[in-house]
Amino acid sequence: MSEKLAAAVLAAGRIDTKLRQATGAEAKALIPVGGQPIIDRILGALDGAETVDEVRVVCAKDSPVLKHVGPRAVEAQGPGFIDTLMTGAEALGMPERLLVVTGDVPLVTSEGLDHFCRQALQCDAHIVYPVVRRGDSERVFPGGQRTFIRLREEEVTGGNVAVLSRDFLQHQGDRLSEAFAARKNPLRLCSMLGWGFLLRLLLGRLGIPEVAARAEKVLGSRVLVVYSPYPELGFDVDKPSHLASVEACLAQRST
């Protein structure tokens, strides 16, 4: 396979107060995990992936991550999610397909990235997104606190990576911004997805095809949801308990 993906690491988000107090870090991407900042672990995984080419890290204005990362860091053009996303895409020359990785997934691996990216490169979807089965997640992170969605087939959690097409970013990026903004607003989310859809989702009556179809309708683009057997893609650090799970996983691997 000759085609590779350019990658944007989104590291402009604010750090939770409890995480800052617990770690002393001024940015989530700089939280030490196993003695190494999260962003260094992510960049190491990206650099080792066969499917990844150029990489940029998008940071907030005056973020200490800018200095830490050096030449591969770029400053977000604005405070919103879509500002961060578009900054990364433009810094990479607006590639035909863009791999997006959040800056808070400390145990992501080159193998996991390659597995996901190869699936994305073999399809013509505008958006490719991974989900991880509950069993796979709990096998690697026993006791780890994740949010799982009960589908008709099984329970899954979402990944922290995605592959987005240039066409989607240029023409449907506003829809993604709206969906991202609605994620923590139940009424707004219901308005976008529909009460009937959400009810069936909550009752576990939907499968991946139905979820992907509704995402396509909301985002106005072709969406492919794929399974990943690499739960590291879906385990981010949002609170001290997440960090404890990650450190426990590393300690187990070293024994």
Side-chain angles (χ1 to χ4, degrees), residues 153 174 200 223 245:
E153 304 91 345
D174 289 344
R200 285 182 290 146
V223 176
S245 294

Side-chain angles (χ1 to χ4, degrees), residues 13-17 19-20 23 25-28 31:
R14 295 181 179 180
I15 185 171
D16 177 79
T17 300
L19 266 178
R20 180 187 289 110
T23 64
E26 291 301 315
K28 288 179 74 175
I31 293 174

Side-chain angles (χ1 to χ4, degrees), residues 4 44-53 99 109-111 113-114 117:
K4 293 189 176 184
L46 287 166
D47 290 341
E50 297 178 354
T51 54
V52 177
D53 193 1
L99 170 64
T109 64
S110 301
E111 294 79 10
L113 289 169
D114 279 335
C117 290

Side-chain angles (χ1 to χ4, degrees), residues 100-120:
V100 179
V101 183
T102 63
D104 56 359
V105 280
L107 298 187
V108 63
T109 64
S110 301
E111 294 79 10
L113 289 169
D114 279 335
H115 180 272
F116 169 64
C117 290
R118 288 190 177 108
Q119 293 181 84

Side-chain angles (χ1 to χ4, degrees), residues 5-255:
L5 295 168
V9 182
L10 309 185
R14 295 181 179 180
I15 185 171
D16 177 79
T17 300
K18 292 182 179 180
L19 266 178
R20 180 187 289 110
Q21 293 173 344
T23 64
E26 291 301 315
K28 288 179 74 175
L30 297 180
I31 293 174
V33 170
Q36 186 178 21
I38 288 178
I39 190 62
D40 291 358
R41 290 179 166 273
I42 294 173
L43 290 175
L46 287 166
D47 290 341
E50 297 178 354
T51 54
V52 177
D53 193 1
E54 193 174 3
V55 179
R56 290 289 183 273
V57 179
V58 189
C59 314
K61 183 179 179 180
D62 300 325
S63 169
V65 181
L66 285 165
K67 183 177 180 180
H68 181 85
V69 174
R72 293 205 278 188
V74 291
E75 187 177 304
Q77 298 170 356
F81 169 74
I82 197 64
D83 298 313
T84 302
L85 184 58
M86 292 304 294
T87 296
E90 291 169 2
L92 291 160
M94 196 58 74
E96 182 177 349
R97 302 190 196 198
L98 177 70
L99 170 64
V100 179
V101 183
T102 63
D104 56 359
V105 280
L107 298 187
V108 63
T109 64
S110 301
E111 294 79 10
L113 289 169
D114 279 335
H115 180 272
F116 169 64
C117 290
R118 288 190 177 108
Q119 293 181 84
L121 287 167
Q122 292 171 1
C123 73
D124 62 352
H126 293 117
I127 304 167
V128 185
Y129 181 71
V131 294
V132 177
R133 293 178 171 91
R134 182 166 192 153
D136 287 333
S137 181
E138 294 184 342
R139 170 177 50 80
V140 176
F141 300 102
Q145 298 177 1
R146 293 289 92 189
T147 299
F148 294 95
I149 298 175
R150 182 163 59 94
L151 298 178
R152 186 171 54 237
E153 304 91 345
E154 57 206 330
E155 289 184 88
V156 300
T157 187
N160 288 75
V161 304
V163 170
L164 309 176
S165 73
R166 177 172 57 210
D167 182 68
F168 172 74
L169 288 173
Q170 291 178 329
H171 300 105
Q172 304 290 352
D174 289 344
R175 292 198 183 191
L176 180 61
S177 183
E178 292 173 8
F180 184 81
R183 75 194 192 284
K184 295 183 179 180
N185 185 325
L187 289 177
R188 191 171 176 184
L189 192 61
C190 287
S191 176
M192 292 185 69
L193 297 177
W195 288 94
F197 175 85
L198 284 177
L199 179 60
R200 285 182 290 146
L201 182 63
L202 291 172
L203 293 175
R205 295 178 180 175
L206 298 177
I208 289 292
E210 292 95 332
V211 173
R214 183 52 59 99
E216 288 187 346
K217 183 177 181 180
V218 170
L219 298 174
S221 300
R222 294 189 301 276
V223 176
L224 176 66
V225 178
V226 300
Y227 285 104
S228 172
Y230 294 89
E232 295 87 353
L233 293 183
F235 203 99
D236 55 358
V237 174
D238 282 330
K239 57 182 78 171
S241 60
H242 294 164
L243 185 59
S245 294
V246 169
E247 292 287 4
C249 179
L250 285 175
Q252 185 178 23
R253 291 179 180 181
S254 64
T255 59

